[in-house]
């Protein structure tokens, strides 16, 4: 062990909690995307920087260019932003809010009553559903056999 090294807390990147959480479920996300017929290599994780003078910034998880969810585990207000397209995946006991400033997203709070771990299964399921709901130029419907 090198005794000349000094460890200092408080200098971590603001998004470190988001990355650590996503790393803990990355394998499950890759697995469910592959099970749905998608390529796990198309899943990207990118952190945004807060706008000047704000405490914002979040990490976005995408399948190619299609947002699966946004995760904000920095600052005082922590939450998940889920595209409204996935609102049918929410169970009735999930607490959500819809804010005009967040447009087409539902906000899921992350706090003492709603820990980030309580959302793991939902976020993994949403990642898999991005494959099924990915915008396509054309697709088959339930009448595909009649059309063939």
């Amino acid at each position: 062990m090198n005794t000349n090294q000094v460890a200092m807390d408080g200098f971590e990147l603001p998004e470190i909690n988001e990355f650590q959480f996503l790393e803990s479920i990355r394998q499950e996300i890759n697995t469910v995307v592959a099970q749905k017929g998608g390529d796990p290599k198309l899943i990207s994780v990118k952190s945004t920087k807060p706008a000047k003078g704000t405490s914002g910034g979040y990490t976005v998880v995408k399948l190619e260019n299609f947002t699966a969810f946004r995760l904000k585990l920095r600052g005082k207000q922590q939450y998940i932003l889920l595209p409204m397209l996935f609102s049918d995946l929410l169970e009735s006991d999930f607490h959500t809010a819809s804010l005009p400033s967040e447009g087409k997203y539902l906000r899921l709070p992350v706090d003492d009553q709603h820990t980030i771990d309580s959302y793991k299964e939902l976020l993994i399921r949403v990642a898999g559903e991005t494959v099924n709901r990915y915008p396509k130029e054309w697709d088959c419907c339930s009448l595909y056999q009649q059309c063939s």
Side-chain angles (χ1 to χ4, degrees), residues 2 11 43 49-50 57 62 67 76 78 82 91 95 129:
N2 186 349
F11 292 97
I43 294 286
K49 301 294 180 206
K62 293 183 173 187
T67 299
K76 292 181 181 176
Q78 299 183 358
L82 190 68
E91 296 175 18
H95 178 72
E129 274 302 304

Side-chain angles (χ1 to χ4, degrees), residues 7-17 20:
M8 298 176 72
D9 290 332
F11 292 97
E12 299 88 7
L13 294 171
E15 61 271 15
I16 189 71
N17 292 335
Q20 287 175 342

Side-chain angles (χ1 to χ4, degrees), residues 45-141:
V45 175
K46 184 179 179 195
S47 181
T48 66
K49 301 294 180 206
K52 194 170 188 169
T54 70
S55 63
Y58 54 85
T59 297
V60 62
V61 176
K62 293 183 173 187
L63 175 68
E64 215 164 36
N65 61 352
F66 183 51
T67 299
F69 58 89
R70 295 176 179 173
L71 184 61
K72 184 179 182 293
L73 300 178
R74 50 184 114 166
K76 292 181 181 176
Q77 282 197 330
Q78 299 183 358
Y79 51 84
I80 296 163
L81 290 176
L82 190 68
M84 294 234 189
L85 174 68
F86 298 115
S87 63
D88 62 313
L89 300 177
L90 295 173
E91 296 175 18
S92 61
D93 60 339
F94 278 110
H95 178 72
T96 63
S98 181
L99 303 177
S101 63
E102 292 167 347
K104 300 175 184 176
Y105 290 88
L106 289 171
R107 181 185 281 207
L108 303 164
V110 176
D111 53 28
D112 292 338
Q113 294 82 29
H114 313 92
T115 65
I116 190 63
D117 288 333
S118 68
Y119 294 112
K120 278 184 178 184
E121 287 184 35
L122 171 67
L123 296 178
I124 293 165
R125 194 167 66 232
V126 165
E129 274 302 304
T130 59
V131 176
N132 292 335
R133 300 178 189 198
Y134 192 87
K136 303 169 190 80
E137 289 184 34
W138 66 273
D139 202 356
C140 294
C141 70

Side-chain angles (χ1 to χ4, degrees), residues 25-43:
I25 63 171
R26 183 62 188 233
Q27 188 56 48
E28 288 121 319
I29 287 175
N30 289 349
T31 299
V32 74
V33 166
Q35 287 172 345
K36 299 283 185 171
D39 184 352
K41 292 177 188 171
L42 297 178
I43 294 286

